[in-house]
Amino acid sequence: MTVKRKKISLIGAGNIGGTLAHMIALAELGDVVLLDINEGIPQGKALDLAQSSAIDKFDVSIIGSNNYEDIKDSDAIIITAGIARKPGMSRDDLLSINTNIMKEVGKNIKKYSPNAFIIVITNPLDSMVWVMKQVTDVPSNMIVGMAGVLDSARLSYFLAQEMGVSVKDISAFVLGGHGDTMLPLVHYSTVCGIPLTDLIDMKMITKEKIDEIFERTRNGGKEIVELLKSGSAYYAPASSAVCMLKSYLKDQKRILPCAAYLNGEYGVHDLFIGVPAIIGKNGIEKIIEVKLSDEEKMEFTKSVEAVEELVTQTKIIVFNI
């Protein structure tokens, strides 16, 4: 009996899209459709990747396309379409251009794959995933933004480097919007189960160094943009999205920090905000509400307000609300 493979569509064949296609193929998560409006780019990358299957020994189909009809009946869709940041640009500077791109992408997803699980990577993330939900009208559990996994990964890496320990033993997560107002949490970040607060007492790290690392995490994307001088991060963002995709396709039910739709949780309504959530075969299966200190609540509120402002701008630009 032939087992039908999952169909995974990647909208946007830039650096992140190409890296996603490679990772998904190597893991044999499903057949891949790499779609882009630029003729030849998705076809060339797909052919190159397909030829590598004979070396890396993976059995999946990879096709490149400029036709949205090819995403029909996808099980999952990851969206990277949009312009990337350049040096001196903030995520918010991308708002107008990428909002219109999301509107077009969303219309085609609604037409061809209304039942797919959607992961949005395009920046400014929290507002772009909000636009995608408005346009596609998918259930809130079937759409999510990739941000928290990436931000938490950056935090974990910086902490591991500072303390000289394996990144495998670090568990850290970041709450709030994907931007300058993101909120790394000290008492929920641990090394082999030991809270950072205890590690300060053990003199393995100082509070001042943790504050520096938190600030570097907030500017993690900007640092890479300035180093590259052309383009933005793509390896870690792709890894983060694949982590979320695996949890959905394999029903792993992992608790992952991501931009999930809140409708009352944390006192927030009709916004996508970075929070820990369980991702399984039903998409976002549960929002985890962690206890915050008074100071953290204030910082989280600032982050929510920043996202609200972006969404308000988006409503004016695209929806004339």
Side-chain angles (χ1 to χ4, degrees):
M1 182 180 72
T2 302
V3 177
K4 184 178 182 294
R5 288 193 288 260
K6 298 293 185 181
K7 181 176 180 179
I8 304 159
S9 292
L10 311 174
I11 302 180
N15 285 335
I16 298 180
T19 305
L20 279 168
H22 196 196
M23 289 180 171
I24 290 167
L26 287 171
E28 294 187 313
L29 294 178
D31 292 333
V32 176
V33 176
L34 186 58
L35 185 141
D36 200 283
I37 60 171
N38 295 301
E39 293 185 9
I41 299 297
Q43 291 88 347
K45 289 191 176 183
L47 181 58
D48 189 13
L49 284 167
Q51 290 169 355
S52 75
S53 66
I55 304 165
D56 292 319
K57 306 302 180 186
F58 57 81
D59 286 308
V60 300
S61 165
I62 308 173
I63 66 167
S65 175
N66 308 117
N67 186 351
Y68 273 103
E69 192 170 353
D70 287 325
I71 72 169
K72 184 177 175 62
D73 298 328
S74 296
D75 294 284
I77 296 174
I78 303 178
I79 304 164
T80 68
I83 64 168
R85 275 200 293 174
K86 297 176 182 177
M89 289 180 72
S90 70
R91 293 182 178 95
D92 299 353
D93 291 334
L94 309 177
L95 186 65
S96 181
I97 295 172
N98 286 351
T99 294
N100 285 294
I101 292 172
M102 288 300 100
K103 192 173 179 181
E104 179 65 22
V105 171
K107 286 179 180 177
N108 282 285
I109 290 176
K110 185 173 183 177
K111 181 177 180 180
Y112 294 111
S113 281
N115 298 315
F117 180 60
I118 302 170
I119 300 173
V120 179
I121 299 180
T122 305
N123 278 318
L125 188 281
D126 307 284
S127 54
M128 291 302 97
V129 67
W130 184 89
V131 171
M132 188 57 56
K133 184 181 187 307
Q134 304 308 307
V135 177
T136 58
D137 197 31
V138 299
S140 58
N141 63 300
M142 292 298 287
I143 181 167
V144 67
M146 187 295 297
V149 175
L150 172 61
D151 296 328
S152 300
R154 286 170 172 162
L155 175 57
S156 295
Y157 172 73
F158 296 147
L159 289 170
Q161 289 293 295
E162 175 61 29
M163 289 185 282
V165 300
S166 172
V167 74
K168 295 178 183 178
D169 291 331
I170 294 184
S171 176
F173 83 83
V174 177
L175 208 64
H178 184 51
D180 299 339
T181 60
M182 68 178 73
L183 176 63
L185 296 178
V186 177
H187 56 289
Y188 287 116
S189 298
T190 65
V191 179
C192 200
I194 306 168
L196 281 183
T197 47
D198 289 359
L199 292 166
I200 294 173
D201 294 337
M202 297 175 190
K203 302 189 184 308
M204 285 190 66
I205 193 168
T206 65
K207 176 65 166 58
E208 291 72 24
K209 182 55 68 173
I210 289 174
D211 289 340
E212 289 177 19
I213 288 173
F214 282 179
E215 188 60 25
R216 190 180 181 190
T217 300
R218 292 187 183 98
N219 293 298
K222 180 181 178 182
E223 181 178 0
I224 292 173
V225 167
E226 290 176 347
L227 287 168
L228 291 175
K229 298 179 176 62
S230 176
S232 56
Y234 52 97
Y235 293 120
S239 291
S240 301
V242 170
C243 174
M244 298 165 72
L245 177 66
K246 282 182 180 178
S247 194
Y248 170 69
L249 294 178
K250 296 178 178 292
D251 192 27
Q252 292 176 337
K253 300 191 187 299
R254 294 195 61 190
I255 298 177
L256 298 171
C258 52
Y261 183 79
L262 301 185
N263 193 24
E265 299 89 351
Y266 290 92
V268 178
H269 295 268
D270 192 31
L271 283 179
F272 284 85
I273 299 291
V275 294
I278 297 174
I279 298 180
K281 65 180 179 181
N282 298 310
I284 300 295
E285 298 188 346
K286 183 177 177 60
I287 304 295
I288 307 297
E289 295 190 68
V290 298
K291 186 176 181 180
L292 302 176
S293 67
D294 290 341
E295 183 180 352
E296 288 167 342
K297 286 177 182 177
M298 289 177 58
E299 292 299 315
F300 182 69
T301 298
K302 288 180 184 177
S303 192
V304 170
E305 289 172 348
V307 173
E308 284 179 326
E309 176 59 29
L310 275 179
V311 170
T312 297
Q313 292 178 42
T314 302
K315 290 176 180 178
I316 296 170
I317 293 169
V318 178
F319 300 106
N320 297 315
I321 298 175

